[in-house]
PDB file of all heavy atoms in Angstrom:
ATOM      1  N   ASN A   1      15.550 -36.892 120.902  1.00 77.00           N
ATOM      2  CA  ASN A   1      15.904 -38.298 120.719  1.00 77.00           C
ATOM      3  C   ASN A   1      15.088 -39.246 121.590  1.00 77.00           C
ATOM      4  O   ASN A   1      15.112 -40.461 121.361  1.00 77.00           O
ATOM      5  CB  ASN A   1      17.394 -38.515 121.012  1.00 77.00           C
ATOM      6  CG  ASN A   1      18.253 -38.160 119.822  1.00 77.00           C
ATOM      7  OD1 ASN A   1      17.778 -38.072 118.700  1.00 77.00           O
ATOM      8  ND2 ASN A   1      19.526 -37.936 120.064  1.00 77.00           N
ATOM      9  N   VAL A   2      14.375 -38.743 122.569  1.00 82.00           N
ATOM     10  CA  VAL A   2      13.556 -39.630 123.406  1.00 82.00           C
ATOM     11  C   VAL A   2      12.121 -39.674 122.909  1.00 82.00           C
ATOM     12  O   VAL A   2      11.259 -40.264 123.562  1.00 82.00           O
ATOM     13  CB  VAL A   2      13.592 -39.201 124.896  1.00 82.00           C
ATOM     14  CG1 VAL A   2      15.016 -39.102 125.397  1.00 82.00           C
ATOM     15  CG2 VAL A   2      12.858 -37.885 125.103  1.00 82.00           C
ATOM     16  N   ALA A   3      11.838 -39.097 121.729  1.00 85.00           N
ATOM     17  CA  ALA A   3      10.465 -39.031 121.230  1.00 85.00           C
ATOM     18  C   ALA A   3       9.858 -40.417 121.065  1.00 85.00           C
ATOM     19  O   ALA A   3       8.742 -40.678 121.535  1.00 85.00           O
ATOM     20  CB  ALA A   3      10.430 -38.261 119.899  1.00 85.00           C
ATOM     21  N   TYR A   4      10.550 -41.306 120.379  1.00 85.00           N
ATOM     22  CA  TYR A   4       9.992 -42.646 120.134  1.00 85.00           C
ATOM     23  C   TYR A   4       9.914 -43.476 121.419  1.00 85.00           C
ATOM     24  O   TYR A   4       8.860 -44.066 121.708  1.00 85.00           O
ATOM     25  CB  TYR A   4      10.824 -43.363 119.076  1.00 85.00           C
ATOM     26  CG  TYR A   4      10.104 -44.532 118.436  1.00 85.00           C
ATOM     27  CD1 TYR A   4       9.329 -44.352 117.294  1.00 85.00           C
ATOM     28  CD2 TYR A   4      10.200 -45.819 118.965  1.00 85.00           C
ATOM     29  CE1 TYR A   4       8.670 -45.419 116.701  1.00 85.00           C
ATOM     30  CE2 TYR A   4       9.544 -46.882 118.381  1.00 85.00           C
ATOM     31  CZ  TYR A   4       8.783 -46.682 117.242  1.00 85.00           C
ATOM     32  OH  TYR A   4       8.112 -47.747 116.669  1.00 85.00           O
ATOM     33  N   PRO A   5      10.993 -43.551 122.218  1.00 82.00           N
ATOM     34  CA  PRO A   5      10.878 -44.317 123.463  1.00 82.00           C
ATOM     35  C   PRO A   5       9.769 -43.809 124.383  1.00 82.00           C
ATOM     36  O   PRO A   5       9.057 -44.615 124.997  1.00 82.00           O
ATOM     37  CB  PRO A   5      12.260 -44.139 124.113  1.00 82.00           C
ATOM     38  CG  PRO A   5      13.175 -43.865 122.978  1.00 82.00           C
ATOM     39  CD  PRO A   5      12.369 -43.071 122.006  1.00 82.00           C
ATOM     40  N   LYS A   6       9.602 -42.491 124.473  1.00 83.00           N
ATOM     41  CA  LYS A   6       8.569 -41.955 125.359  1.00 83.00           C
ATOM     42  C   LYS A   6       7.176 -42.340 124.856  1.00 83.00           C
ATOM     43  O   LYS A   6       6.290 -42.664 125.646  1.00 83.00           O
ATOM     44  CB  LYS A   6       8.682 -40.442 125.476  1.00 83.00           C
ATOM     45  CG  LYS A   6       7.698 -39.839 126.493  1.00 83.00           C
ATOM     46  CD  LYS A   6       8.011 -38.411 126.791  1.00 83.00           C
ATOM     47  CE  LYS A   6       7.037 -37.848 127.837  1.00 83.00           C
ATOM     48  NZ  LYS A   6       7.148 -38.552 129.138  1.00 83.00           N
ATOM     49  N   LEU A   7       6.997 -42.303 123.548  1.00 85.00           N
ATOM     50  CA  LEU A   7       5.711 -42.691 122.980  1.00 85.00           C
ATOM     51  C   LEU A   7       5.393 -44.151 123.308  1.00 85.00           C
ATOM     52  O   LEU A   7       4.263 -44.497 123.656  1.00 85.00           O
ATOM     53  CB  LEU A   7       5.739 -42.481 121.465  1.00 85.00           C
ATOM     54  CG  LEU A   7       4.405 -42.328 120.745  1.00 85.00           C
ATOM     55  CD1 LEU A   7       3.688 -41.068 121.205  1.00 85.00           C
ATOM     56  CD2 LEU A   7       4.618 -42.275 119.240  1.00 85.00           C
ATOM     57  N   VAL A   8       6.394 -44.997 123.196  1.00 82.00           N
ATOM     58  CA  VAL A   8       6.203 -46.418 123.507  1.00 82.00           C
ATOM     59  C   VAL A   8       5.801 -46.604 124.964  1.00 82.00           C
ATOM     60  O   VAL A   8       4.828 -47.302 125.286  1.00 82.00           O
ATOM     61  CB  VAL A   8       7.494 -47.212 123.204  1.00 82.00           C
ATOM     62  CG1 VAL A   8       7.382 -48.633 123.739  1.00 82.00           C
ATOM     63  CG2 VAL A   8       7.770 -47.222 121.715  1.00 82.00           C
ATOM     64  N   LEU A   9       6.537 -45.974 125.849  1.00 81.00           N
ATOM     65  CA  LEU A   9       6.313 -46.188 127.277  1.00 81.00           C
ATOM     66  C   LEU A   9       5.038 -45.518 127.779  1.00 81.00           C
ATOM     67  O   LEU A   9       4.451 -45.958 128.771  1.00 81.00           O
ATOM     68  CB  LEU A   9       7.520 -45.671 128.065  1.00 81.00           C
ATOM     69  CG  LEU A   9       8.842 -46.389 127.755  1.00 81.00           C
ATOM     70  CD1 LEU A   9       9.995 -45.725 128.490  1.00 81.00           C
ATOM     71  CD2 LEU A   9       8.754 -47.857 128.120  1.00 81.00           C
ATOM     72  N   GLU A  10       4.582 -44.461 127.116  1.00 84.00           N
ATOM     73  CA  GLU A  10       3.390 -43.746 127.565  1.00 84.00           C
ATOM     74  C   GLU A  10       2.094 -44.316 126.982  1.00 84.00           C
ATOM     75  O   GLU A  10       1.071 -44.354 127.655  1.00 84.00           O
ATOM     76  CB  GLU A  10       3.494 -42.258 127.198  1.00 84.00           C
ATOM     77  CG  GLU A  10       4.589 -41.493 127.905  1.00 84.00           C
ATOM     78  CD  GLU A  10       4.234 -41.174 129.355  1.00 84.00           C
ATOM     79  OE1 GLU A  10       3.090 -41.463 129.776  1.00 84.00           O
ATOM     80  OE2 GLU A  10       5.096 -40.644 130.071  1.00 84.00           O
ATOM     81  N   LEU A  11       2.138 -44.743 125.717  1.00 84.00           N
ATOM     82  CA  LEU A  11       0.894 -45.104 125.033  1.00 84.00           C
ATOM     83  C   LEU A  11       0.600 -46.597 124.994  1.00 84.00           C
ATOM     84  O   LEU A  11      -0.565 -46.990 124.978  1.00 84.00           O
ATOM     85  CB  LEU A  11       0.924 -44.580 123.585  1.00 84.00           C
ATOM     86  CG  LEU A  11       0.892 -43.069 123.373  1.00 84.00           C
ATOM     87  CD1 LEU A  11       0.732 -42.760 121.890  1.00 84.00           C
ATOM     88  CD2 LEU A  11      -0.242 -42.421 124.164  1.00 84.00           C
ATOM     89  N   MET A  12       1.632 -47.417 124.929  1.00 80.00           N
ATOM     90  CA  MET A  12       1.400 -48.836 124.680  1.00 80.00           C
ATOM     91  C   MET A  12       0.878 -49.529 125.931  1.00 80.00           C
ATOM     92  O   MET A  12       1.396 -49.330 127.038  1.00 80.00           O
ATOM     93  CB  MET A  12       2.691 -49.505 124.216  1.00 80.00           C
ATOM     94  CG  MET A  12       3.232 -48.937 122.913  1.00 80.00           C
ATOM     95  SD  MET A  12       2.097 -49.134 121.539  1.00 80.00           S
ATOM     96  CE  MET A  12       2.409 -50.831 121.101  1.00 80.00           C
ATOM     97  N   PRO A  13      -0.138 -50.381 125.774  1.00 82.00           N
ATOM     98  CA  PRO A  13      -0.649 -51.152 126.908  1.00 82.00           C
ATOM     99  C   PRO A  13       0.289 -52.299 127.264  1.00 82.00           C
ATOM    100  O   PRO A  13       1.243 -52.589 126.534  1.00 82.00           O
ATOM    101  CB  PRO A  13      -1.991 -51.680 126.396  1.00 82.00           C
ATOM    102  CG  PRO A  13      -1.823 -51.753 124.916  1.00 82.00           C
ATOM    103  CD  PRO A  13      -0.923 -50.613 124.550  1.00 82.00           C
ATOM    104  N   VAL A  14      -0.008 -52.959 128.371  1.00 78.00           N
ATOM    105  CA  VAL A  14       0.803 -54.088 128.818  1.00 78.00           C
ATOM    106  C   VAL A  14       0.816 -55.163 127.735  1.00 78.00           C
ATOM    107  O   VAL A  14      -0.199 -55.469 127.116  1.00 78.00           O
ATOM    108  CB  VAL A  14       0.244 -54.664 130.135  1.00 78.00           C
ATOM    109  CG1 VAL A  14       0.956 -55.962 130.490  1.00 78.00           C
ATOM    110  CG2 VAL A  14       0.405 -53.647 131.255  1.00 78.00           C
ATOM    111  N   GLY A  15       1.939 -55.752 127.511  1.00 76.00           N
ATOM    112  CA  GLY A  15       2.085 -56.749 126.457  1.00 76.00           C
ATOM    113  C   GLY A  15       2.610 -56.115 125.192  1.00 76.00           C
ATOM    114  O   GLY A  15       3.664 -56.506 124.682  1.00 76.00           O
ATOM    115  N   LEU A  16       1.891 -55.124 124.673  1.00 78.00           N
ATOM    116  CA  LEU A  16       2.359 -54.416 123.486  1.00 78.00           C
ATOM    117  C   LEU A  16       3.590 -53.568 123.798  1.00 78.00           C
ATOM    118  O   LEU A  16       4.442 -53.355 122.941  1.00 78.00           O
ATOM    119  CB  LEU A  16       1.242 -53.540 122.916  1.00 78.00           C
ATOM    120  CG  LEU A  16       0.084 -54.288 122.249  1.00 78.00           C
ATOM    121  CD1 LEU A  16      -0.965 -53.311 121.747  1.00 78.00           C
ATOM    122  CD2 LEU A  16       0.584 -55.172 121.117  1.00 78.00           C
ATOM    123  N   ARG A  17       3.659 -53.093 125.038  1.00 79.00           N
ATOM    124  CA  ARG A  17       4.860 -52.362 125.429  1.00 79.00           C
ATOM    125  C   ARG A  17       6.071 -53.292 125.376  1.00 79.00           C
ATOM    126  O   ARG A  17       7.147 -52.914 124.929  1.00 79.00           O
ATOM    127  CB  ARG A  17       4.692 -51.786 126.834  1.00 79.00           C
ATOM    128  CG  ARG A  17       5.756 -50.768 127.216  1.00 79.00           C
ATOM    129  CD  ARG A  17       5.528 -50.272 128.628  1.00 79.00           C
ATOM    130  NE  ARG A  17       4.196 -49.698 128.775  1.00 79.00           N
ATOM    131  CZ  ARG A  17       3.527 -49.633 129.920  1.00 79.00           C
ATOM    132  NH1 ARG A  17       4.070 -50.120 131.028  1.00 79.00           N
ATOM    133  NH2 ARG A  17       2.335 -49.100 129.979  1.00 79.00           N
ATOM    134  N   GLY A  18       5.892 -54.507 125.805  1.00 79.00           N
ATOM    135  CA  GLY A  18       6.958 -55.498 125.697  1.00 79.00           C
ATOM    136  C   GLY A  18       7.285 -55.816 124.250  1.00 79.00           C
ATOM    137  O   GLY A  18       8.447 -56.027 123.892  1.00 79.00           O
ATOM    138  N   LEU A  19       6.237 -55.847 123.383  1.00 75.00           N
ATOM    139  CA  LEU A  19       6.467 -56.089 121.965  1.00 75.00           C
ATOM    140  C   LEU A  19       7.327 -54.988 121.353  1.00 75.00           C
ATOM    141  O   LEU A  19       8.256 -55.263 120.582  1.00 75.00           O
ATOM    142  CB  LEU A  19       5.129 -56.182 121.223  1.00 75.00           C
ATOM    143  CG  LEU A  19       5.218 -56.302 119.696  1.00 75.00           C
ATOM    144  CD1 LEU A  19       5.870 -57.620 119.317  1.00 75.00           C
ATOM    145  CD2 LEU A  19       3.831 -56.199 119.067  1.00 75.00           C
ATOM    146  N   LEU A  20       7.028 -53.730 121.698  1.00 74.00           N
ATOM    147  CA  LEU A  20       7.831 -52.628 121.160  1.00 74.00           C
ATOM    148  C   LEU A  20       9.241 -52.632 121.728  1.00 74.00           C
ATOM    149  O   LEU A  20      10.190 -52.224 121.060  1.00 74.00           O
ATOM    150  CB  LEU A  20       7.142 -51.297 121.437  1.00 74.00           C
ATOM    151  CG  LEU A  20       6.290 -50.739 120.298  1.00 74.00           C
ATOM    152  CD1 LEU A  20       7.166 -50.394 119.094  1.00 74.00           C
ATOM    153  CD2 LEU A  20       5.213 -51.739 119.866  1.00 74.00           C
ATOM    154  N   MET A  21       9.387 -53.105 122.957  1.00 74.00           N
ATOM    155  CA  MET A  21      10.736 -53.284 123.487  1.00 74.00           C
ATOM    156  C   MET A  21      11.477 -54.328 122.659  1.00 74.00           C
ATOM    157  O   MET A  21      12.663 -54.153 122.326  1.00 74.00           O
ATOM    158  CB  MET A  21      10.665 -53.733 124.952  1.00 74.00           C
ATOM    159  CG  MET A  21      12.023 -53.880 125.616  1.00 74.00           C
ATOM    160  SD  MET A  21      12.866 -52.295 125.764  1.00 74.00           S
ATOM    161  CE  MET A  21      14.456 -52.818 126.384  1.00 74.00           C
ATOM    162  N   ALA A  22      10.775 -55.380 122.277  1.00 72.00           N
ATOM    163  CA  ALA A  22      11.370 -56.396 121.417  1.00 72.00           C
ATOM    164  C   ALA A  22      11.729 -55.814 120.053  1.00 72.00           C
ATOM    165  O   ALA A  22      12.724 -56.202 119.437  1.00 72.00           O
ATOM    166  CB  ALA A  22      10.416 -57.576 121.255  1.00 72.00           C
ATOM    167  N   VAL A  23      10.902 -54.867 119.563  1.00 70.00           N
ATOM    168  CA  VAL A  23      11.207 -54.201 118.290  1.00 70.00           C
ATOM    169  C   VAL A  23      12.544 -53.469 118.383  1.00 70.00           C
ATOM    170  O   VAL A  23      13.394 -53.561 117.491  1.00 70.00           O
ATOM    171  CB  VAL A  23      10.079 -53.225 117.908  1.00 70.00           C
ATOM    172  CG1 VAL A  23      10.507 -52.304 116.780  1.00 70.00           C
ATOM    173  CG2 VAL A  23       8.826 -53.986 117.518  1.00 70.00           C
ATOM    174  N   MET A  24      12.724 -52.725 119.460  1.00 71.00           N
ATOM    175  CA  MET A  24      13.974 -51.990 119.619  1.00 71.00           C
ATOM    176  C   MET A  24      15.157 -52.950 119.760  1.00 71.00           C
ATOM    177  O   MET A  24      16.230 -52.720 119.191  1.00 71.00           O
ATOM    178  CB  MET A  24      13.891 -51.080 120.845  1.00 71.00           C
ATOM    179  CG  MET A  24      12.900 -49.947 120.701  1.00 71.00           C
ATOM    180  SD  MET A  24      13.292 -48.848 119.318  1.00 71.00           S
ATOM    181  CE  MET A  24      14.898 -48.248 119.795  1.00 71.00           C
ATOM    182  N   LEU A  25      14.953 -54.033 120.497  1.00 70.00           N
ATOM    183  CA  LEU A  25      16.017 -55.017 120.621  1.00 70.00           C
ATOM    184  C   LEU A  25      16.331 -55.645 119.264  1.00 70.00           C
ATOM    185  O   LEU A  25      17.491 -55.918 118.939  1.00 70.00           O
ATOM    186  CB  LEU A  25      15.619 -56.099 121.629  1.00 70.00           C
ATOM    187  CG  LEU A  25      15.446 -55.629 123.074  1.00 70.00           C
ATOM    188  CD1 LEU A  25      14.951 -56.775 123.950  1.00 70.00           C
ATOM    189  CD2 LEU A  25      16.755 -55.083 123.620  1.00 70.00           C
ATOM    190  N   SER A  26      15.284 -55.870 118.442  1.00 65.00           N
ATOM    191  CA  SER A  26      15.493 -56.409 117.097  1.00 65.00           C
ATOM    192  C   SER A  26      16.352 -55.464 116.276  1.00 65.00           C
ATOM    193  O   SER A  26      17.273 -55.885 115.557  1.00 65.00           O
ATOM    194  CB  SER A  26      14.147 -56.614 116.393  1.00 65.00           C
ATOM    195  OG  SER A  26      13.388 -57.612 117.012  1.00 65.00           O
ATOM    196  N   ALA A  27      16.033 -54.157 116.366  1.00 66.00           N
ATOM    197  CA  ALA A  27      16.789 -53.176 115.598  1.00 66.00           C
ATOM    198  C   ALA A  27      18.254 -53.153 116.026  1.00 66.00           C
ATOM    199  O   ALA A  27      19.166 -53.090 115.192  1.00 66.00           O
ATOM    200  CB  ALA A  27      16.160 -51.792 115.773  1.00 66.00           C
ATOM    201  N   ILE A  28      18.477 -53.203 117.337  1.00 70.00           N
ATOM    202  CA  ILE A  28      19.847 -53.189 117.841  1.00 70.00           C
ATOM    203  C   ILE A  28      20.597 -54.436 117.391  1.00 70.00           C
ATOM    204  O   ILE A  28      21.691 -54.374 116.827  1.00 70.00           O
ATOM    205  CB  ILE A  28      19.862 -53.106 119.380  1.00 70.00           C
ATOM    206  CG1 ILE A  28      19.149 -51.840 119.857  1.00 70.00           C
ATOM    207  CG2 ILE A  28      21.293 -53.132 119.901  1.00 70.00           C
ATOM    208  CD1 ILE A  28      18.843 -51.851 121.346  1.00 70.00           C
ATOM    209  N   MET A  29      19.976 -55.597 117.600  1.00 69.00           N
ATOM    210  CA  MET A  29      20.667 -56.854 117.347  1.00 69.00           C
ATOM    211  C   MET A  29      20.919 -57.081 115.862  1.00 69.00           C
ATOM    212  O   MET A  29      21.971 -57.587 115.469  1.00 69.00           O
ATOM    213  CB  MET A  29      19.871 -58.008 117.954  1.00 69.00           C
ATOM    214  CG  MET A  29      19.803 -57.950 119.468  1.00 69.00           C
ATOM    215  SD  MET A  29      18.712 -59.199 120.185  1.00 69.00           S
ATOM    216  CE  MET A  29      19.625 -60.691 119.845  1.00 69.00           C
ATOM    217  N   SER A  30      19.946 -56.719 115.013  1.00 65.00           N
ATOM    218  CA  SER A  30      20.144 -56.927 113.576  1.00 65.00           C
ATOM    219  C   SER A  30      21.283 -56.054 113.058  1.00 65.00           C
ATOM    220  O   SER A  30      22.065 -56.480 112.193  1.00 65.00           O
ATOM    221  CB  SER A  30      18.852 -56.636 112.810  1.00 65.00           C
ATOM    222  OG  SER A  30      18.453 -55.285 112.978  1.00 65.00           O
ATOM    223  N   SER A  31      21.395 -54.826 113.587  1.00 69.00           N
ATOM    224  CA  SER A  31      22.505 -53.960 113.174  1.00 69.00           C
ATOM    225  C   SER A  31      23.842 -54.519 113.641  1.00 69.00           C
ATOM    226  O   SER A  31      24.817 -54.567 112.885  1.00 69.00           O
ATOM    227  CB  SER A  31      22.309 -52.551 113.737  1.00 69.00           C
ATOM    228  OG  SER A  31      21.170 -51.944 113.200  1.00 69.00           O
ATOM    229  N   LEU A  32      23.892 -54.966 114.887  1.00 72.00           N
ATOM    230  CA  LEU A  32      25.146 -55.458 115.438  1.00 72.00           C
ATOM    231  C   LEU A  32      25.618 -56.720 114.733  1.00 72.00           C
ATOM    232  O   LEU A  32      26.797 -56.859 114.396  1.00 72.00           O
ATOM    233  CB  LEU A  32      24.998 -55.717 116.944  1.00 72.00           C
ATOM    234  CG  LEU A  32      24.797 -54.484 117.827  1.00 72.00           C
ATOM    235  CD1 LEU A  32      24.611 -54.893 119.278  1.00 72.00           C
ATOM    236  CD2 LEU A  32      25.964 -53.524 117.709  1.00 72.00           C
ATOM    237  N   THR A  33      24.701 -57.671 114.483  1.00 69.00           N
ATOM    238  CA  THR A  33      25.113 -58.911 113.831  1.00 69.00           C
ATOM    239  C   THR A  33      25.619 -58.646 112.422  1.00 69.00           C
ATOM    240  O   THR A  33      26.582 -59.265 111.971  1.00 69.00           O
ATOM    241  CB  THR A  33      23.951 -59.912 113.771  1.00 69.00           C
ATOM    242  OG1 THR A  33      22.805 -59.295 113.153  1.00 69.00           O
ATOM    243  CG2 THR A  33      23.558 -60.383 115.159  1.00 69.00           C
ATOM    244  N   SER A  34      24.972 -57.726 111.720  1.00 70.00           N
ATOM    245  CA  SER A  34      25.412 -57.394 110.370  1.00 70.00           C
ATOM    246  C   SER A  34      26.817 -56.810 110.390  1.00 70.00           C
ATOM    247  O   SER A  34      27.673 -57.149 109.562  1.00 70.00           O
ATOM    248  CB  SER A  34      24.438 -56.403 109.729  1.00 70.00           C
ATOM    249  OG  SER A  34      23.134 -56.934 109.678  1.00 70.00           O
TER     250      SER A  34
END
C-alpha cells in the first residue's frame, strides 16, 4: 500500500512533489465532499 506514496517521495523533484501531494489531497477531498 505504500507503493504510490514511496514513488512520489523518491522520484519527484521539488515542486512536482508538492503537486503530487496536491493530487492526493484532491483525491481525498473530492471523495469526502461527494
Side-chain angles (χ1 to χ4, degrees):
N1 278 342
V2 306
Y4 199 90
K6 185 168 182 63
L7 202 64
V8 171
L9 298 175
E10 294 284 355
L11 293 188
M12 298 299 280
V14 172
L16 289 179
R17 192 181 303 154
L19 174 66
L20 264 295
M21 183 66 186
V23 167
M24 293 300 299
L25 295 176
S26 294
I28 301 167
M29 294 173 69
S30 62
S31 295
L32 292 178
T33 54
S34 301

